[in-house]
Amino acid sequence: MELKFIGTGSGKASLKRYHSSFLINSGNYNLLVDAGDGISRALMNQKILFNIIDGVLISHLHPDHYTGLPGLIVQMKMTERENPLYIFCHESCSRFIKELIHQSYLFEDKLGFKINVESFDNGKESKVFEGLSFTAKQNTHLQKNIKSDKSGRLTFSCSSFLFKIGEKNIFFTGDIGNQKDLYLFQDIKIDWMISEITHISVDELVDAFRRINPQKLFITHLSEEDETKVSKLSYQLPTKERHNVVAAFDGLSVKIAIP
Ligand SMILES: [Zn+2]
């Protein structure tokens, strides 16, 4: 079982990092978490075949997290996919995702495989496959946009996730709005934590790392400015902690040891 970072960049396009995305391989299921602009090329860059992906989980509807989806489905068709593709998104986004696929002329009878859009609800555990499930919680990342949506048509759902892989709990912050979002799963024992760094300070993240106390913290969603922030981190932390805090990079792969 493995966690592989496909992209570790922020919303800002970069020649060094693709937009934030990772792949969870739970042994017999591959779940891609987020599929922003350029995801197909990012996967090719990591030599990951499109059709090993069983499901795609979308955390929210910012372009660096979902706009690569139609293009990825096209690549799957062109590489003769047969297995159904599962797309997991919050229930408030599922109509839009289905429409996006339809408006991209991706019809099931032409694709040759089924697309199942499975919506999840906050706070309820969603089973993905044997030995792999997740629970989403709403965070504040999109709240600042509510006033701008004069027509009231948009969803402001943005999720943080707790993945359960075998007996391991992996907390993924997703894109967040403030420091409080780091504690959405504070009652649960976290084994690993994957956090973004663009929308919080290094001090806030270090604080959360100490309070949540995971074995490992992986930092992702890094712009160039964030890289500078994070590089200072290694001087601030005592050696023991430093080993357990990892600035992720595209292609970083870590084995998940399940007892
Ligand atoms: Zn983002």
Side-chain angles (χ1 to χ4, degrees), residues 18 102 140 199 255:
Y18 284 95
H102 187 71
T140 63
H199 306 95
K255 292 267 177 280

Side-chain angles (χ1 to χ4, degrees), residues 8 21 25 31 33 43 81 107 124 128 143 175 206 221 238:
T8 53
S21 174
N25 175 329
L31 180 69
V33 181
L43 288 161
R81 185 185 183 98
F107 311 115
K124 285 192 190 142
V128 177
Q143 301 301 304
D175 282 17
V206 169
H221 206 285

Side-chain angles (χ1 to χ4, degrees), residues 22-83:
F22 57 87
L23 186 74
I24 296 173
N25 175 329
S26 72
N28 34 23
Y29 196 96
N30 284 297
L31 180 69
L32 184 70
V33 181
D34 281 335
D37 185 24
I39 188 64
S40 300
R41 282 171 57 89
L43 288 161
M44 288 175 82
N45 202 33
Q46 299 308 327
K47 302 191 169 39
I48 290 173
L49 299 174
F50 304 122
N51 292 333
I52 67 147
I53 296 165
D54 298 293
V56 181
L57 171 64
I58 302 291
S59 67
H60 68 296
L61 299 179
H62 263 153
D64 55 322
H65 296 265
Y66 85 95
T67 54
L69 185 62
L72 177 59
I73 295 170
V74 171
Q75 304 315 311
M76 288 172 168
K77 176 189 188 292
M78 295 205 280
T79 46
E80 280 149 35
R81 185 185 183 98
E82 290 176 1
N83 293 340

Side-chain angles (χ1 to χ4, degrees), residues 146-163:
I146 292 176
K147 276 195 206 138
S148 308
D149 179 27
K150 304 277 187 263
S151 62
R153 283 184 299 145
L154 300 181
T155 170
F156 293 92
S157 170
C158 180
S159 305
S160 299
F161 298 95
L162 180 77
F163 293 101

